[in-house]
Amino acid sequence: MASTSPLKASTSSVAAAISTEGLHKHYGNLEVLKGIDFRADDGEVISILGASGSGKSTFLRCLNLLELPSAGRIRILDEDVKLRPGRVNLRIADQRQIDRLRTQVAMVFQNFCLWSHMTVLDNLMEAPVHVQRRNRAEVRDEAEAILRRVGLLDRAKYYPAQLSGGQQQRAAIARALVMKPRVLLFDEPTSALDPELVGEVLKVMRDLAAEGRTMLVVTHEMAFARDVSSRVLFLEQGRIAAQGAPRDLFGGGMNERFDQFVSRFNEG
């Protein structure tokens, strides 16, 4: 079967929220990303699927420079990320630019990454107050409002160790939201959770998608990818093997390798 084009799916003249051109990533002799051309427009919810080792998390981490690409171009919110050649990978040319862009592109990690010595409320307030230099009282009000939205206001004074895994991940999402980001990146946000806790996190993510948030989600949650995403990206061996609307890809017959990938989850 013919694959969908690995090139940009959108021909919109509107500036992309995030785009890449020819993105490569090497770890020694191992090439993990092999020339990714990608575009996410404002308001898109893009689920990034693929088998383990396909490059999904590496790609996501390159988008906010937690991993430095080996070659290629990244553009965030209509701004070229300033990178310069390095011995193996590209290097950051303007750290202040990266720090500024990271306030607009928030990341939610698989393992929560909350500060264990801070309460939930303090976790939310730390970056807005000390990085964005926002008014503490205003940030506190906003943080409490967001905790109420994700069902954690009654846990504001708890420490992460006192929370369930699902509560910790909801706190991590709340911490990202209080930064008022333009783009949210999720790196397998439910994979570290017990099955009975997955639903509470996915509900928060579904609500964010319904608000028109721009979201890129590395996930194995097929129902979320099928029912919530505006577009699905399927990576295989460091390349975009297929992409398109969920109804087209999940309908079958569009890409043989994607059909095989999804069938493994259906059999489970």
Side-chain angles (χ1 to χ4, degrees):
M1 299 265 180
S3 297
T4 53
S5 171
L7 299 179
K8 304 165 192 172
S10 174
T11 57
S12 170
S13 60
V14 177
I18 290 184
S19 63
T20 67
E21 294 180 11
L23 198 69
H24 290 258
K25 175 63 181 178
H26 299 264
Y27 293 103
N29 293 326
L30 177 64
E31 188 177 22
V32 179
L33 300 179
K34 302 175 182 178
I36 302 289
D37 294 322
F38 168 78
R39 175 187 176 111
D41 289 331
D42 279 334
E44 281 199 285
V45 178
I46 300 176
S47 289
I48 303 171
L49 308 181
S52 296
S54 61
K56 307 182 303 295
S57 291
T58 298
F59 173 58
L60 201 72
R61 291 172 66 87
C62 281
L63 293 181
N64 69 345
L65 282 301
L66 290 174
E67 293 282 356
L68 289 166
S70 304
R73 178 187 180 195
I74 301 173
R75 192 168 179 83
I76 298 176
L77 302 174
D78 204 26
E79 186 174 343
D80 282 315
V81 176
K82 297 175 183 175
L83 300 170
R84 56 182 174 82
R87 188 171 62 87
V88 177
N89 296 314
L90 299 176
R91 312 302 298 172
I92 293 171
D94 185 347
Q95 186 63 52
R96 287 181 298 180
Q97 181 200 37
I98 301 304
D99 294 342
R100 175 170 47 78
L101 290 174
R102 280 178 178 158
T103 67
Q104 297 295 305
V105 181
M107 186 130 176
V108 178
F109 298 90
Q110 176 179 346
N111 292 313
F112 325 133
C113 294
L114 297 168
W115 290 297
S116 61
H117 64 290
M118 293 183 179
T119 66
V120 170
L121 183 60
D122 287 339
N123 262 277
L124 266 66
M125 293 179 62
E126 179 70 12
V129 171
H130 297 290
V131 176
Q132 293 181 325
R133 305 295 183 187
R134 289 159 55 191
N135 177 272
R136 176 176 287 273
E138 291 179 2
V139 169
R140 184 184 186 91
D141 289 344
E142 292 172 12
E144 289 178 346
I146 291 171
L147 287 174
R148 183 180 294 108
R149 280 184 55 197
V150 302
L152 288 177
L153 184 58
D154 62 340
R155 298 293 191 268
K157 297 297 180 68
Y158 283 46
Y159 288 88
Q162 297 173 297
L163 305 179
S164 71
Q167 290 170 334
Q168 288 187 63
Q169 192 60 290
R170 281 186 282 152
I173 294 171
R175 183 177 63 178
L177 291 176
V178 81
M179 295 291 287
K180 300 181 178 179
R182 294 268 303 276
V183 181
L184 287 165
L185 308 178
F186 294 85
D187 189 7
E188 301 198 34
T190 61
S191 64
L193 301 179
D194 292 333
E196 64 269 19
L197 301 177
V198 169
E200 64 189 61
V201 173
L202 290 179
K203 181 184 183 303
V204 172
M205 294 173 63
R206 285 172 181 265
D207 290 345
L208 293 173
E211 294 175 1
R213 300 268 185 172
T214 306
M215 299 166 56
L216 278 61
V217 186
V218 170
T219 185
H220 289 296
E221 298 293 336
M222 294 298 112
F224 179 92
R226 183 186 62 241
D227 300 336
V228 181
S229 305
S230 53
R231 181 153 48 105
V232 170
L233 205 68
F234 176 56
L235 295 190
E236 187 174 44
Q237 297 181 357
R239 294 187 174 92
I240 298 177
Q243 65 174 308
R247 65 179 178 275
D248 295 331
L249 278 175
F250 282 95
M254 190 173 179
N255 181 273
E256 184 176 3
R257 293 292 299 125
F258 182 80
D259 293 346
Q260 293 170 356
F261 172 77
V262 172
S263 70
R264 295 201 296 270
F265 287 89
N266 293 335
E267 290 168 1

